[in-house]
Amino acid sequence: MAKIAYTLHVNGEDHEVYAEPNLTLLEVVRDELRLTGAKEGCGTGDCGACTMHLDGENVTSCLVLGVEAQGRDVLTIEGLAQDGKLHPLQQAFIDHGALQCGFCIPGMILSGVALLERNPHPTREEIRQGIAGNLCRCTGYTKIVDAIEAVATGVAH
Amino acid sequence: MRRFDYFRPSSLAEASTILREHGEGGLLLAGGTDVLVQVKEAGRPVRYVVSLADIEGLSGITEHASGLQIGARTRMVEVGSHPSIQARYSALSDGASLVGSVQTRHLATIGGNVCNAAPSADTSPGLAVLEATAHASGPSGERTIPIIELWTGPGRTSLEAGEVVTHFTLPAPGTRAGSHYQRHTPRKVMDIAAVGTAVYLELDASGTCTTARIALGAVAPTVIRAPRAEAALVGGPVTEETAAAAAAVAATEATPISDQRASAAFRTYLIEVMTRQSILRAAERASA
């Protein structure tokens, strides 16, 4: 159970990690790198609160070993805004009031961004499919779908 | 998560050596969406993990005149969205596109889904009707295993200690062939099949069924074929009536259990309804 040294590339920066191999990417990013935007909800890949991008694709970081993410591009919610400017989807969530307690929102936004990168003009059904792996217990999803749809259709609220 | 040692071999030979030298308690890691949950939640005993991440040649899809080759580390997203698989091996893309969530499909691999040996695995019935062959590499060399013989029970396979599934081969479908997989789940997504049905059909120019293969998921200890239902379809046209008759036979070939997803009686009912639908969809695709 020896610790392992490896480099994680997170939000455009290299981080040297020295950790036990059984730590998940989520645990390493939260506890070692102190980036706490991604949350642990279920820990079994069902709720999506831990969603990050790995090489541009959204994944559940609770089911990825930290050491398995070495050499890959990791994006967390902290890396989404550029030059102090929110990503259009982050702004749309604010404009549409698409959040209540906020626990699911980092993962929800990263799944939304990944969806829009794959499919810039999704239907509402495709949006619902795209965020099917992200549970929200507050909003009922309607405003979240509205926010993603607003970015997809280019209609600023 | 319980603690373990971590190995990251760069070749199959190296992986095989690690497994042989360290013995019991080894776990092969591909996408991790099943095995890490088992380690975290189900107390699956593990002393060491052997990552397949650095072994070249384990992922990718190549199409030949004789059929398809799919690397074991090929992810669900690639299997589900591959144009040739969607066009000619549809039962497999149908299943791969249903696994988990988008996030799951970005991690989970076809080899992992198969070797986890869940009777409810969404790619397994499709692989069974497409008559896939698993290719394994291990201490005693390489061998091939017909996919249906790979599964021996829930979570159990006929793989020997130290064997790694490297890829699958699927024979090319006939000219007028079509296949279909569907599942029933209490929820639309993020759920596990209560019943899965896969059908592969070949028709001749007059529409007579010349080959029929039917596989059922989540209604027996492993994915099973339904040979008597298959025999009932061959030699005649595929109509609402012949599909219903074959589906009724299929319902007698399973041994479902009752659990939180469905009762045995409901599963038997579902097999009949869903097999009939899958036969008709496969026939539509064969005629398209």
Side-chain angles (χ1 to χ4, degrees), chain A residues 124-155:
Chain A
R124 283 185 77 86
E125 175 59 26
E126 286 168 339
I127 293 171
R128 295 183 73 87
Q129 289 285 342
I131 58 169
N134 294 81
L135 293 186
C136 174
R137 301 290 79 178
C138 305
T139 65
Y141 302 101
T142 302
K143 291 182 175 183
I144 290 173
V145 175
D146 289 348
I148 298 172
E149 189 179 39
V151 173
T153 54
V155 180

Side-chain angles (χ1 to χ4, degrees), chain B residues 14-36:
Chain B
E14 200 186 328
S16 183
T17 304
I18 292 166
L19 290 164
R20 194 172 59 244
E21 284 178 357
H22 292 79
E24 295 275 295
L27 185 150
L28 290 172
L29 180 65
T33 55
D34 277 319
V35 289
L36 291 182

